[in-house]
Amino acid sequence: MVKFKIDNKVVEAKEGEYLLDVARRYGFSIPTLCHHEALGSDGRCRVCVVEVKTRWRKRIVTSCLFPVSKDIEEVYTASEDVKLVRRTVLELLLARCPESDVIRYMAAKYGITEPRYKKDTDKGKCILCNMCVRTCENIVGVSAIGIIGKGPEKKISPPFREASDACIGCGACVAVCPTGHIFMEDKDGIRLIWRKRFELAVCPKCGRYHAPVEQLEFISKKTNVPMEELLVCTNCR
Amino acid sequence: MSVSIQRLEEIKKDFLSKQKVFQKTIRVCCGTGCISSGALKVLEKLRTALKTEGLDEKVKVIETGCHGFCERGPIFVFGENDIFYQMVGKRNIDADVSALIETVKSDKIAQNLLYPDPNDKTKKFVATREIPFYSGQQKIVLHLNGYIDPESIEDYIARGGYVALHKALQMKPEEVIDWIDRSGLRGRGGGGFRTGRKWRSCREAHGSPKYIVANGDEGDPGAFMDRSIMEGNPHAILEGMIIGGYAIGSNDGYIYVRDEYPLAVKRLTKAIEDARRLGLLGDNIFGTGFRFDIRIFRGGGAFVCGESTALMQSLEGKIGEPKAKYIHTVERGLWDKPTNLNNVETWACVPLIINNGWEWFANIGTKNSTGTKVFSLVGKVNNTGLIEVPMGLTLREIIFNLGGGIQKGRKFKAVQTGGPSGGCIPAEYLDTPVDFDTLTELGSMMGSGGMIVMDERNCMVDVARYFLNFLVEESCGKCVPCREGVKRMYEIVDRICNGEGREGDIEHLEELGKAVKLGSLCGLGQSAPNPVLSTIRYFREEYEEHIKHKKCRAGVCKPLITIKINEKCNGCMVCARNCPVSCISGEKQKPHVIDQSKCIKCQICYDVCRFDAVTIE
Ligand SMILES: Cc1cc2nc3c(=O)[nH]c(=O)nc-3n(C[C@H](O)[C@H](O)[C@H](O)COP(=O)(O)O)c2cc1C
Ligand code: SF4
Ligand code: FES
Ligand code: FES
């Protein structure tokens, strides 16, 4: 266990623990946009920055990835530099995704109501946090989507911008997306997502459409639970 | 059977005795630059001519790596009397080949192939060592470049190659690291991190296997120092890496070479095969039981792939995106194993330090930046090319001595160092000794050693825009400040260049630049604002002129300039004839006028006018 200060409050933490987790445990509020408890982070959004003072230097780090070590003396969650980076990131994201309520709300907290830049019109609400991709790969285990392109033109998409064979239509990406960018629609027994149409299974007990047949088949194969059981919706099981 | 020091000695003797039959040597530059200016064709004709003259058994023609003066290529140097011929075959290939033969036969010097003094056309230099571009250099890393045949391991061994490896293997690994540390060697790839310290951390890191990687990605546009080492003296890199592997405790090395460097790949591949053949790579090197091997990996070509974590991702076959480095790659790098990455120039310094001792190296250069540095000197200087100078030489010495001053006698304005995300340094700092720390203090950086010289005809706002544009293209797009922020900086600077700058833009750029530096994930974003911030720092008035007075003093930003013809015009009509859109009219011997509605501001009239009658406002 090591001891150091966060904004003047003495805290204790295990070596190697991420600063974000420590700070949250002690009740500090640090915004995040690409971190998820089940997924961790890969350091894309940079809103979670804090300033860390060690024996040698002071620097800005992303708290979601910075491991606690003996060298830390003090952490500042709202220094001028921290606020500058957060404010800038949120203003840049608001210019990218002016339609996103989540970003608008967070930006307003840092005094930004209108970005000083020309608003993008082609990015939708996607901030490229990559959480959908990581969910698909690490939680669902299918890797139906990925990041393509580079720089400002990076984009989340199924490979080759076509409907992906791998996609099972589970919608986990929709659930994890912080801004609600991913389009999914269930209509007349059909689910539309990532340019692909899925036939929805009908529950033999209540007659309700619930999950895509492909998703149930995927689960059945993985878990060896027979299809007949899975066709029954979770409410009726 | 493993290789021994006696075996090296034999190879050397054998090689040297074979040389005795030759009366003359001609060193022909076969670097990428000279090849593209036609060296191979001249070489072929020379070989044929030598044969016809019955001289082919008497004259040794060595195909070497880059001599550094690529702008003057093809380059042919006579070994014994050091006669330096440049632009051979550029004007008249057959005449030039005959001249070469004449020199072979009777030492007759072909005046038209000599290098003329750029500031005094009547003066010509005969020997390489007299040319300021060369005499001002101190070549240690490049000391064999241009001398040896990079495809001959015997040639390298004949000049003392692989002796350092033998010596290092007799030392304790810790001792080798200690030497490198004490030599003061710092990484040549950009960051300037102490090499010895890095090696020690990697040696002490837990985990196995450990990996050694050479960074030959060289993504800086226009830079070619690493290419020239890989092409010109590949064994120096291999030898450095094997020594590093021994010191750190690694048996596996990788060389990450940029895909656009096929010749470097070819020569490194040959070098590795030859080293394996002689037992300098493989099991039981010099009978010590130490095993080491090297593989080549061809990189994808993105600028960001030169960054350490992105390079390792790419080596692992993933997308070359950087990762947070809070846990250092010497602890967890390639496949999460301890990995020591150094630039190829850094590796090439290693055998020199082992051979000559750390004190020798530490005595070259400045206190905190020891040794030499290879720079690529380009832009508005008279002599452009690759130079190796001791750290601590001043910018003035480099630009005006070696570089021969500014082209067309114009005025020096700034020098951009450190590659695309370096900064611009103005004339008042010309006497700064160049090393890692001084360049950083000036708001620029050493980077990998790019130096672009600018004169009064360069607009500093436009320069900033140029580099930002490159960086927007090359940002990998992983993190928000770099992906979105650099793009917005570009938009603002672009607006200023187009005459649409607004009050507050400069302060906005400073604030955004600071945030991008602080908040970005990798070195690309963290340094991307440098071109803007350094030009604002030293040339703020140029930004203000663009914004407030809609003026571009250098005459570069087209929307801000008007081209006019004044009363000095005597109606010679040269401008009218050269104008690509024919918008200059007027009678013979009478002042001409430009139709502003048609003028595309190409400034050709300005360049062709001999009477100073065309002005840019
Ligand atoms: C965007 C970016 C590009 C880089 N490109 C190169 C490169 O082309 N070659 C290189 O040796 N180092 C490059 N570096 C530096 C490497 O990350 C790393 O620091 C270096 O290879 C370490 O070797 P050294 O200590 O010998 O300099 C780059 C860094 C960044 C941030
Ligand atoms: S700083 Fe730029 S290049 Fe580096 S990770 Fe972020 S987006 Fe990619
Ligand atoms: S939450 Fe830490 S970088 Fe996004
Ligand atoms: S390639 Fe010939 S001098 Fe550089």
Side-chain angles (χ1 to χ4, degrees), chain A residues 2-236:
Chain A
V2 289
K3 261 191 200 169
F4 57 93
K5 277 197 214 158
I6 300 183
D7 293 344
N8 257 330
K9 183 173 185 173
V10 177
V11 300
E12 257 188 278
K14 279 203 288 285
E15 254 186 279
E17 215 181 333
Y18 291 124
L19 266 186
L20 177 69
D21 299 329
V22 184
R24 287 195 167 159
R25 190 164 69 235
Y26 281 90
F28 292 96
S29 108
I30 293 175
T32 58
L33 277 170
C34 70
H35 171 269
H36 186 283
E37 269 145 47
L39 296 166
S41 165
D42 54 4
R44 284 170 198 267
C45 78
R46 325 299 288 174
V47 283
C48 70
V49 289
V50 295
E51 194 162 353
V52 170
K53 184 168 163 271
T54 62
R55 244 181 308 151
W56 303 283
R57 57 172 176 168
K58 235 178 171 180
R59 63 165 169 163
I60 295 285
V61 303
T62 41
S63 60
C64 64
L65 285 172
F66 194 83
V68 167
S69 76
K70 294 192 287 287
D71 302 327
I72 300 182
E73 289 180 348
E74 209 159 347
V75 175
Y76 309 91
T77 68
S79 69
E80 284 311 310
D81 283 353
V82 167
K83 283 192 282 188
L84 171 68
V85 174
R86 280 194 202 151
R87 193 167 8 100
T88 305
V89 163
L90 290 166
E91 183 178 5
L92 291 168
L93 286 178
L94 188 57
R96 176 187 167 94
C97 308
E99 304 291 305
S100 164
D101 301 329
V102 176
I103 300 298
R104 190 162 286 282
Y105 175 79
M106 284 176 74
K109 279 207 197 165
Y110 286 84
I112 311 266
T113 46
E114 274 305 310
R116 286 169 288 179
Y117 313 107
K118 197 164 145 264
K119 293 176 192 158
D120 285 343
T121 52
D122 56 344
K123 309 286 193 295
K125 294 180 185 170
C126 178
I127 57 169
L128 289 173
C129 69
N130 205 35
M131 287 209 278
C132 51
V133 176
R134 284 182 284 145
T135 302
C136 186
E137 183 179 334
N138 303 337
I139 311 282
V140 186
V142 299
S143 293
I145 46 175
I147 294 189
I148 56 170
K150 74 173 182 184
E153 300 315 314
K154 253 189 155 90
K155 219 177 142 159
I156 308 287
S157 162
F160 313 112
R161 298 175 198 258
E162 284 168 15
S164 150
D165 287 341
C167 182
I168 55 170
C170 70
C173 49
V174 179
V176 79
C177 176
T179 61
H181 168 74
I182 303 169
F183 174 84
M184 179 169 90
E185 188 186 55
D186 289 356
K187 208 169 134 193
D188 306 331
I190 298 290
R191 169 171 292 183
L192 198 63
I193 182 170
W194 293 118
R195 303 179 185 210
K196 196 169 166 185
R197 294 160 63 86
F198 292 91
E199 187 195 328
L200 291 171
V202 184
C203 171
K205 294 205 175 145
C206 66
R208 197 170 63 90
Y209 288 120
H210 57 119
V213 178
E214 260 189 68
Q215 181 189 359
L216 298 178
E217 282 166 357
F218 177 83
I219 297 173
S220 166
K221 222 158 131 197
K222 247 189 151 174
T223 56
N224 280 328
V225 178
M227 257 320 250
E228 302 81 75
E229 267 176 53
L230 292 172
L231 281 172
V232 181
C233 81
T234 39
N235 290 346
C236 302

Side-chain angles (χ1 to χ4, degrees), chain B residues 28-77:
Chain B
V28 182
C29 178
C30 291
T32 294
C34 286
I35 288 180
S36 66
S37 52
L40 296 182
K41 205 145 175 229
V42 189
L43 178 65
E44 199 192 305
K45 292 211 172 210
L46 173 67
R47 285 199 194 278
T48 319
L50 285 171
K51 209 170 211 148
T52 341
E53 299 278 340
L55 290 167
D56 53 326
E57 304 274 302
K58 297 196 183 109
V59 179
K60 179 163 166 112
V61 179
I62 312 178
E63 298 172 30
T64 74
C66 174
H67 291 225
F69 218 176
C70 316
E71 177 214 355
R72 293 270 151 189
I75 286 172
F76 286 63
V77 183

Side-chain angles (χ1 to χ4, degrees), chain B residues 393-504:
Chain B
L393 212 63
T394 65
L395 286 167
R396 187 185 303 280
E397 283 167 301
I398 295 176
I399 296 164
F400 288 89
N401 235 349
L402 281 81
I406 309 301
Q407 287 169 7
K408 301 190 180 147
R410 291 212 175 101
K411 214 174 127 209
F412 169 87
K413 188 176 201 172
V415 55
Q416 206 270 356
T417 74
S421 47
C424 293
I425 300 170
E428 61 199 280
Y429 296 105
L430 270 175
D431 291 309
T432 307
V434 176
D435 70 22
F436 285 107
D437 310 314
T438 50
L439 291 181
T440 310
E441 276 159 33
L442 290 176
S444 183
M445 57 188 197
M446 178 74 82
S448 55
M451 260 192 201
I452 306 174
V453 178
M454 298 171 193
D455 68 9
E456 56 205 354
R457 296 254 276 161
N458 286 105
C459 162
M460 299 317 282
V461 188
D462 178 64
V463 164
R465 173 170 68 172
Y466 171 82
F467 288 114
L468 279 176
N469 184 37
F470 175 85
L471 293 161
V472 173
E473 297 285 318
E474 293 301 328
S475 162
C476 83
K478 177 170 178 176
C479 70
V480 176
C482 171
R483 180 185 72 227
E484 311 287 337
V486 180
K487 176 175 102 173
R488 300 306 182 177
M489 292 181 83
Y490 172 80
E491 285 174 5
I492 298 171
V493 173
D494 186 46
R495 215 163 21 75
I496 297 175
C497 289
N498 287 330
E500 293 154 20
R502 296 193 284 259
E503 192 73 32

